[in-house]
């Protein structure tokens, strides 16, 4: 799968680790920047581009990284069709897929357990949405986009 990636300067090194894991798993990471960890940048500039790639269908999912994951989730959720969640452990990643049909995973490099990264990526990319009553709820979230 084509997976959009973006980070600010805080998440730059970690984005490279995520890209390597995704490639090892047979996916195609598409990097929307930032391109170095030295220059302080604004996370919305990069998170928005990656989220838009999910919105247009260019990429199936996105992984966005900043210090806390919070800023990235705020900008990504402004983009049509995006359901971005900040997940700190494998359980919340799993539930973000099963119940929320999340298509963007936001990680906080300063708060997550780095040992669990590969597990979280695998869960994010392989867990199916349960549908049923959860589809009704997700539809209500998507309806709010046009109101
Ligand atoms: C950058 O200093 C920091 O604010 C950013 O990485 C992120 O944590 C914002 O939500």
């Amino acid at each position: 799968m084509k997976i959009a990636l973006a980070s600010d300067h805080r998440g730059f090194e970690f984005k490279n680790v995520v890209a390597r894991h995704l490639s090892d798993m047979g996916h195609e990471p598409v990097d929307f920047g930032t391109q170095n960890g030295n220059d302080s940048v604004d996370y919305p500039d990069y998170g928005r581009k990656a989220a838009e790639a999910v919105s247009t269908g260019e990429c199936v999912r996105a992984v966005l990284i900043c210090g806390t994951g919070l800023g990235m989730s705020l900008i990504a959720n402004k983009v049509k069709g995006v359901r971005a969640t900040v997940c700190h452990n494998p359980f919340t990643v799993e539930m973000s897929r099963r119940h929320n049909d999340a298509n963007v995973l936001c990680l906080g490099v300063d708060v997550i357990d780095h040992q669990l990264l590969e597990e979280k990526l695998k869960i994010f990319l392989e867990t199916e949405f349960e549908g049923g009553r959860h589809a009704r709820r997700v539809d209500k979230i998507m309806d709010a986009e046009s109101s």
Side-chain angles (χ1 to χ4, degrees):
M1 287 197 279
K2 271 177 116 170
I3 313 296
L5 284 184
S7 77
D8 66 359
H9 52 288
R10 294 269 329 118
F12 172 73
E13 296 292 346
F14 195 62
K15 172 162 63 68
N16 292 336
V17 177
V18 171
R20 275 199 298 277
H21 279 308
L22 291 174
S23 297
D24 289 349
M25 290 161 68
H27 297 293
E28 185 184 342
V30 182
D31 190 348
F32 288 86
T34 183
Q35 301 306 338
N36 73 75
N38 300 322
D39 302 321
S40 180
V41 295
D42 299 334
Y43 56 81
D45 295 339
Y46 301 91
R48 181 175 179 175
K49 285 184 198 158
E52 285 173 347
V54 173
S55 182
T56 61
E58 177 189 345
C59 292
V60 181
R61 305 257 169 90
V63 180
L64 310 181
I65 304 142
C66 62
T68 58
L70 299 174
M72 283 298 196
S73 71
L74 288 168
I75 183 62
N77 278 313
K78 296 287 184 192
V79 177
K80 198 169 175 56
V82 164
R83 292 174 297 281
T85 49
V86 185
C87 298
H88 296 315
N89 55 46
F91 178 72
T92 49
V93 177
E94 182 181 340
M95 297 312 285
S96 79
R97 287 292 311 134
R98 286 176 52 192
H99 287 193
N100 311 118
D101 200 16
N103 50 15
V104 174
L105 173 63
C106 301
L107 301 174
V109 70
D110 295 335
V111 287
I112 73 162
D113 181 344
H114 292 225
Q115 303 298 320
L116 299 176
L117 173 62
E118 202 172 349
E119 185 183 350
K120 280 187 277 203
L121 292 174
K122 199 170 154 57
I123 292 169
F124 178 58
L125 298 174
E126 295 179 7
T127 304
E128 295 293 330
F129 177 49
E130 280 180 19
R133 67 187 187 282
H134 303 295
R136 184 180 69 240
R137 293 160 186 169
V138 169
D139 285 347
K140 288 182 179 180
I141 295 170
M142 304 325 285
D143 284 349
E145 281 186 339
S146 52
S147 60

